């Protein structure tokens, strides 16, 4: 029996070593830099990997090769000596680590029980059993959003949004404009969703801060009873509750981190 267990352990170790070796196996090389299988797979979320076909893998690989070609050319031509580029690299590193921290310490810890979803549905079903058509603008300049809000009050929101979409990228602070049915999903900031749910038909929100230095205005154009089935609505509510819990967890962690790391602001 002991011999069988030892053989099984040895087999598992060898399989693990083989898997690690396979992951580190180069699938392409540009100059002296190899692109490994692990790097390639990194671009696909684990839950989507079974659905990724060879064509999509080739597309990502080609994109990686192009990126490396540009990277090597920029490096050889001394771009890394540019102080602004070095600063951008520093900020990119911070953003990547911060995003990974949120994934591992916040999002992975959030659990929503089916009973929570069902109870929330019964209490708040009026907010979710309707299709809500909205017009909204998201951007980084609060004063600019205030001006757009005044235009939306004095004109049709469809006209204002079309004007914004037709402008060249001189409005760098405008991140997104749209008119359509609200789709609650984890990509939408919770303050944005709450602003929509607190509006009545025809009303427009104030300038809402949806995340640091990111603002939104939204007008509720129309609402009507939805054709969605209950199970679809429960999925939407699950996303909404996940957003709520995620935001609460993030706020809690930020408060504790502010106690651990001294924050000083030197500009007014």
């Amino acid at each position: 029996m002991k011999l069988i267990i030892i053989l099984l352990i040895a087999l598992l170790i060898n399989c693990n070593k083989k898997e690690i070796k396979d992951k580190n196996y180069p699938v392409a090389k540009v100059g002296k830099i190899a692109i490994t299988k692990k790097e390639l797979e990194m671009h696909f979320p684990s839950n989507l990997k079974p659905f990724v076909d060879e064509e999509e893998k080739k597309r990502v690989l080609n994109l990686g090769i192009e990126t490396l070609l540009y990277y090597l050319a920029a490096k050889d031509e001394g771009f890394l000596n540019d102080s602004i580029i070095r600063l951008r690299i520093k900020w990119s590193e911070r953003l990547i680590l911060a995003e990974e921290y949120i994934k591992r310490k916040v999002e992975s810890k959030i659990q929503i029980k089916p009973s929570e979803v069902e109870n929330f549905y019964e209490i708040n079903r009026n907010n979710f059993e309707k299709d809500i058509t909205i017009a909204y603008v998201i951007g980084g300049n609060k004063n600019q959003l205030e001006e757009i809000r005044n235009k939306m009050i004095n004109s049709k929101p469809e006209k204002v949004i079309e004007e914004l979409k037709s402008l060249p990228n001189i409005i760098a602070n405008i991140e997104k404009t749209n008119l359509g049915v609200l789709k609650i999903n984890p990509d939408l900031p919770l303050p944005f969703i709450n602003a929509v749910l607190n509006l009545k038909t025809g009303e427009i929100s104030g300038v809402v801060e949806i995340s640091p230095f990111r603002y939104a205005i939204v007008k509720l154009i129309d609402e009507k009873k939805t054709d969605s089935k209950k199970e679809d609505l429960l999925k939407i509510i699950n996303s909404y509750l996940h957003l709520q819990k995620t935001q609460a967890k993030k706020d809690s962690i930020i408060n504790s981190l502010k106690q651990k790391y001294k924050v000083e602001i030197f500009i007014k």
Side-chain angles (χ1 to χ4, degrees):
M1 184 67 179
K2 284 184 179 178
L3 180 61
I4 293 171
I5 292 171
I6 291 168
L7 288 171
L8 282 172
I9 292 170
L11 182 63
L12 286 170
I13 290 170
N14 286 332
C15 286
N16 194 38
K17 284 180 179 177
K18 185 178 183 300
E19 187 178 345
I20 292 169
K21 187 178 179 181
D22 286 346
K23 294 279 186 184
N24 291 324
Y25 185 81
V27 291
K29 201 171 183 181
V30 180
K32 294 181 180 180
I33 302 178
I35 300 174
T36 65
K37 185 178 179 183
K38 185 176 181 179
E39 285 179 289
L40 193 63
E41 291 181 351
M42 177 182 69
H43 295 278
F44 305 111
S46 55
N47 59 324
L48 294 180
K49 282 178 184 176
F51 308 102
V52 178
D53 58 21
E54 292 304 314
E55 195 62 35
E56 182 64 11
K57 288 179 183 178
K58 285 179 183 177
R59 189 189 68 79
V60 174
L61 178 59
N62 287 333
L63 182 61
I65 289 169
E66 283 185 17
T67 301
L68 265 178
L69 288 167
Y70 288 129
Y71 164 79
L72 288 171
K75 193 176 178 183
D76 287 346
E77 292 178 32
F79 280 42
L80 287 175
N81 297 324
D82 187 308
S83 60
I84 297 298
I85 289 176
R86 291 203 305 272
L87 191 60
R88 287 172 62 192
I89 290 170
K90 183 193 289 186
W91 273 99
S92 295
E93 180 185 33
R94 291 172 181 174
L95 286 168
I96 290 167
L97 283 173
E99 286 173 6
E100 199 58 40
Y101 187 91
I102 291 169
K103 283 180 187 175
R104 297 187 188 190
K105 297 287 186 175
V106 181
E107 293 173 354
S108 65
K109 309 291 183 184
I110 304 299
Q111 291 185 339
I112 309 294
K113 297 176 182 176
S115 57
E116 290 181 79
V117 178
E118 188 67 42
N119 290 338
F120 190 92
Y121 170 74
E122 291 301 328
I123 296 170
N124 301 278
R125 60 195 304 171
N126 288 339
N127 279 333
F128 292 89
E129 289 185 335
K130 55 190 177 186
D131 287 330
I132 302 172
T133 303
I134 58 171
Y136 67 90
V137 181
I138 296 175
N141 187 310
K142 190 175 182 181
N143 293 330
Q144 193 176 39
L145 266 288
E146 195 68 65
E147 290 177 16
I148 295 170
R149 180 180 183 272
N150 291 332
K151 285 184 180 179
M152 287 177 72
I153 290 172
N154 299 314
S155 177
K156 290 184 178 181
E158 300 96 321
K159 183 180 177 184
V160 176
I161 284 176
E162 281 306 312
E163 285 175 359
L164 289 172
K165 285 183 174 180
S166 65
L167 288 171
N169 212 7
I170 53 172
I171 311 184
N173 285 311
I174 298 301
E175 177 189 321
K176 193 172 184 182
T177 62
N178 206 357
L179 189 149
V181 176
L182 171 70
K183 300 291 184 185
I184 295 176
N185 61 70
D187 293 329
L188 279 178
L190 187 62
F192 179 90
I193 297 171
N194 287 336
V196 175
L197 295 180
N198 286 324
L199 291 173
K200 293 178 182 176
T201 302
E203 289 184 341
I204 185 169
S205 72
V207 177
V208 181
E209 186 170 13
I210 56 176
S211 59
F213 308 108
R214 196 164 169 243
Y215 306 92
I217 51 170
V218 56
K219 183 169 184 176
L220 201 158
I221 307 296
D222 187 30
E223 53 184 345
K224 59 184 179 181
K225 190 169 179 62
T226 184
D227 295 328
S228 300
K229 296 177 181 177
K230 182 181 176 181
E231 53 263 36
D232 295 326
L233 296 174
L234 292 180
K235 288 177 184 176
I236 293 170
I237 289 171
N238 187 80
S239 295
Y240 180 72
L241 292 177
H242 193 278
L243 277 170
Q244 278 192 325
K245 287 195 174 186
T246 300
Q247 190 60 55
K249 182 74 174 173
K250 284 167 74 174
D251 291 343
S252 174
I253 288 177
I254 281 291
N255 289 332
S256 63
L257 290 177
K258 282 181 178 178
Q259 299 299 317
K260 183 176 181 180
Y261 305 106
K262 187 178 179 182
V263 178
E264 297 177 89
I265 300 173
F266 303 108
I267 58 172
K268 292 181 180 180

